[in-house]
Amino acid sequence: MTKAWRDVGSLYQIYPRSFRDLNGDGVGDLNGITLKMDYLSDLGVDAIWISPFFTSPMTDFGYDVADYQNVDPVFGGLDDFRMLLDEAHARDIKVMIDLVPCHTSDQHAWFVESRSGRDNPKRDWYVWRDGNDGHAPNNWVSLAGGKSWTFDADSGQYYLHSFLPTQPDLNWDNPEVRLAIKDVVRFWFDMGVDGMRVDAIWGISKDPELRDDSPNPHFHGDADSYGAYIHNHCKHGPHFQEYLHELASVCDEYDDKQMVFEFYPDERLGDIWQQYHDVIHVHPKATAFFMEHRQNDWHGEHTGWNIMNYLEAAGENIPFFCLGNHDQPRVTSRLGLPRSRALQFLNLLCPGVSVMYYGDEIGMEDVDLTQYDAQDGFHHSLQDDRNRARTPMQWNSSRYAGFANVLPWLPVHSNRKQVNVAKETKDPSSLLWLCRKLLELRHELPILRYGSMEKLDTGNGFVLGFRRQLDGQQLQIYINFADSAQTVWLPESGRVIIGTNPDIRVDGDVLQLPGYGGVLLDIK
């Protein structure tokens, strides 16, 4: 029996194609994750989140699901996943997997039936419409670029896809679809999966009249670009909150299951966030990710208030704080190692669950891809290819970084000799060493998981401060957002528990922080 979600302090995201290849095909697999379970345990993580490993033609690397209840052969089989679950649970590590409820692959049996004719019982499981004078039904644009509609010559209608044409949208207005997706959740929960990260949840409800999205007045470019519109009709439709409630209610059927919705703070905050907010307050086993740290905005005051706003919105539900994920450039590439180290330090001292993307604990960076390596159908620029942040985990300094014995599916970063687990394990000044110490503290100090968090006025615009409190204990966190040393006069004297740098000291009520330095203080 693993610890309850309320006691989980950290979640480690694994992109399975890139964690560890054990069967020698250059692609990571489930047995490779199982092989590295001791590493995860030694690192100190309480839970792992595994990106999709379901049966898929891999046009979107698993987010185009062809069978929700099976494992793609490239990753292994259901028995391999059951073994992974057993090994994780034996180490008191929970397992969260992805749920992709908005769309399926065009090779899913449901869509194959739906496409076979207008009279097929599965036709209404997807969104099919007649054209508009020979054109798409409306102006909706997919996240992959281009129209969200593809014409099917055999049936003479268009089908809707918010992503790639190989990812047709499910019709959540059909109650049979909602029941089928809930049964998918039950299938994995009954097997022993502990939680679901819900992908692209915004797409489950759309304007039933399929009205055109409004033009974005601030955009000046291709009309088929995603940014050309405000997206006020293609998502977050009138039944969005109702369907969220229905999906989240599956967790209520079980003792200790968790559901975390994908949510980005720039998605029309206010009324949209309020819908998430209202749902998660009814369902304590559901919440939404805090993804503000994915931004390049390096500003202490803004970061502080963003954190406080999220905590207020989360209320009594478990907050999940993230630095990055498989869809975002790596934090070290965005901000540089010193700033990413400071942000990692802060993230691992926040309440609830601190989320870490694989490789971020050693400072992995995006890889420059060639046209040969480019495999992401969502972008036309190599610079924007999401796979730059999905490259093989750097376990050691060998040719393929200990990920595989053959050429990997994506190139290994050229910095593998300096940035790898084996090297940083031996270096007390490394980012990996710091992350391990912080994760150890999350186990030792309940205040870090359960304590309140209050923003402090540090009297220095470059230094962000927080007070953590629980049962009479008080800790204070200070992060220097400047590249030069800064001084903070402390309201109370404190003892250094841990810092980003080993030489940070407190002299009476004076704290000297080096550039991009951070410290956790025990206040007496």
Side-chain angles (χ1 to χ4, degrees):
M1 185 71 177
T2 59
K3 61 174 66 72
W5 272 107
R6 181 57 62 180
D7 300 320
V8 167
S10 57
L11 175 68
Y12 185 95
Q13 184 192 356
I14 296 173
Y15 195 69
R17 295 181 67 88
S18 297
F19 200 60
R20 180 65 168 88
D21 167 32
L22 205 59
N23 66 1
D25 62 359
V27 177
D29 42 57
L30 294 177
N31 288 334
I33 297 173
T34 303
L35 178 71
K36 292 297 185 180
M37 203 62 71
D38 282 341
Y39 168 76
L40 299 169
S41 179
D42 292 343
L43 180 60
V45 297
D46 298 320
I48 56 174
W49 152 29
I50 309 174
S51 292
F53 50 81
F54 316 112
T55 306
S56 168
M58 300 295 168
T59 61
D60 190 20
F61 297 114
Y63 284 96
D64 50 325
V65 180
D67 185 346
Y68 283 107
Q69 297 181 355
N70 215 331
V71 174
D72 193 275
V74 74
F75 299 120
L78 280 172
D79 285 342
D80 296 316
F81 182 72
R82 291 187 181 97
M83 182 171 66
L84 185 156
L85 272 177
D86 290 343
E87 292 298 320
H89 290 163
R91 293 164 176 80
D92 203 15
I93 295 175
K94 285 188 175 293
V95 177
M96 177 179 285
I97 66 174
D98 257 302
L99 175 68
V100 188
C102 176
H103 52 263
T104 69
S105 164
D106 60 356
Q107 296 183 27
H108 195 292
W110 298 344
F111 188 71
V112 172
E113 283 192 53
S114 180
R115 199 173 199 170
S116 66
R118 295 194 184 198
D119 297 329
N120 188 278
K122 288 285 196 298
R123 186 70 170 184
D124 193 42
W125 280 46
Y126 294 83
V127 184
W128 291 92
R129 293 293 186 274
D130 292 327
N132 184 6
D133 293 329
H135 299 286
N138 59 28
N139 70 349
W140 293 358
V141 174
S142 82
L143 271 168
K147 295 298 183 186
S148 287
W149 299 92
T150 289
F151 184 68
D152 179 63
D154 290 340
S155 64
Q157 283 190 312
Y158 289 82
Y159 67 85
L160 178 67
H161 52 88
S162 297
F163 294 84
L164 295 168
T166 55
Q167 296 170 288
D169 279 22
L170 285 163
N171 176 22
W172 268 66
D173 293 333
N174 184 335
E176 293 180 349
V177 169
R178 302 199 298 275
L179 178 59
I181 294 299
K182 289 189 290 184
D183 281 343
V184 169
V185 177
R186 294 184 183 107
F187 172 83
W188 292 105
F189 280 177
D190 289 343
M191 188 182 294
V193 167
D194 302 291
M196 292 279 179
R197 176 265 187 184
V198 186
D199 177 71
I201 191 65
W202 45 262
I204 62 175
S205 179
K206 304 173 178 71
D207 177 10
E209 298 179 27
L210 300 182
R211 288 171 290 184
D212 281 353
D213 278 337
S214 301
N216 180 354
H218 306 293
F219 183 84
H220 304 285
D222 186 352
D224 280 349
S225 295
Y226 191 72
Y229 301 95
I230 297 177
H231 312 295
N232 52 335
H233 294 297
C234 70
K235 61 183 182 178
H236 293 129
H239 298 292
F240 178 67
Q241 191 176 61
E242 173 190 342
Y243 297 160
L244 272 188
H245 274 294
E246 192 170 343
L247 183 58
S249 68
V250 179
C251 291
D252 300 334
E253 302 171 14
Y254 296 83
D255 288 336
D256 187 39
K257 305 297 185 183
Q258 182 70 39
M259 192 169 282
V260 188
F261 301 123
E262 179 182 26
F263 177 76
Y264 288 96
D266 55 355
E267 289 181 349
R268 285 192 292 145
L269 276 174
D271 63 323
I272 295 302
W273 173 249
Q274 190 63 43
Q275 293 187 56
Y276 285 92
H277 179 274
D278 292 346
V279 169
I280 66 179
H281 278 260
V282 173
H283 302 280
K285 298 173 183 176
T287 189
F289 279 119
F290 174 84
M291 279 302 303
E292 188 67 25
H293 286 329
R294 89 190 199 284
Q295 306 289 4
N296 295 329
D297 177 24
W298 183 254
H299 190 287
E301 192 70 11
H302 293 173
T303 298
W305 285 119
N306 286 335
I307 289 173
M308 296 310 301
N309 289 338
Y310 171 64
L311 285 174
E312 181 181 0
E316 295 300 314
N317 294 66
I318 302 173
F320 280 70
F321 286 92
C322 306
L323 289 183
N325 61 32
H326 60 290
D327 285 331
Q328 307 298 328
R330 284 196 177 271
V331 61
T332 302
S333 292
R334 288 188 283 112
L335 300 173
L337 183 58
R339 289 193 290 184
S340 68
R341 184 184 177 96
L343 207 54
Q344 191 76 265
F345 185 83
L346 172 60
N347 206 58
L348 287 170
L349 294 176
C350 284
V353 177
S354 295
V355 184
M356 182 184 297
Y357 183 47
Y358 86 96
D360 279 356
E361 75 272 25
I362 59 173
M364 279 179 60
E365 300 178 42
D366 293 346
V367 172
D368 291 331
L369 301 178
T370 66
Q371 199 66 47
Y372 172 80
D373 301 315
Q375 303 177 50
D376 182 5
F378 275 66
H379 304 285
H380 302 290
S381 165
L382 290 176
Q383 195 63 30
D384 293 330
D385 194 311
R386 295 173 302 171
N387 286 334
R388 298 179 70 229
R390 302 172 176 178
T391 55
M393 179 68 174
Q394 294 166 204
W395 297 104
N396 57 44
S397 61
S398 64
R399 182 180 182 186
Y400 301 132
F403 164 75
N405 295 321
V406 298
L407 185 70
W409 75 288
L410 284 176
V412 176
H413 201 291
S414 59
N415 68 6
R416 69 186 186 281
K417 292 185 178 181
Q418 292 76 41
V419 180
N420 65 71
V421 171
K423 181 176 184 295
E424 294 192 27
T425 297
K426 302 173 184 176
D427 181 5
S429 67
S430 70
L431 179 57
L432 177 59
W433 193 282
L434 178 64
C435 289
R436 279 180 171 157
K437 288 294 184 182
L438 289 166
L439 287 166
E440 185 179 306
L441 283 174
R442 292 188 76 78
H443 292 150
E444 293 177 357
L445 303 176
I447 188 174
L448 292 178
R449 298 192 306 280
Y450 313 118
S452 64
M453 191 166 188
E454 172 192 357
K455 186 175 177 295
L456 293 172
D457 181 3
T458 65
N460 184 323
F462 291 112
V463 179
L464 174 62
F466 291 100
R467 177 184 288 115
R468 303 292 315 275
Q469 294 188 94
L470 180 69
D471 298 333
Q473 183 183 12
Q474 181 185 160
L475 306 180
Q476 290 181 6
I477 306 162
Y478 294 93
I479 306 290
N480 182 6
F481 276 69
D483 59 0
S484 58
Q486 300 292 317
T487 300
V488 177
W489 278 264
L490 301 174
E492 299 122 312
S493 62
R495 174 184 64 86
V496 174
I497 298 177
I498 190 172
T500 54
N501 306 59
D503 56 348
I504 295 177
R505 296 287 184 271
V506 176
D507 184 11
D509 60 353
V510 178
L511 169 65
Q512 291 282 350
L513 280 176
Y516 303 135
V519 68
L520 175 67
L521 302 178
D522 183 13
I523 304 300
K524 299 299 184 184

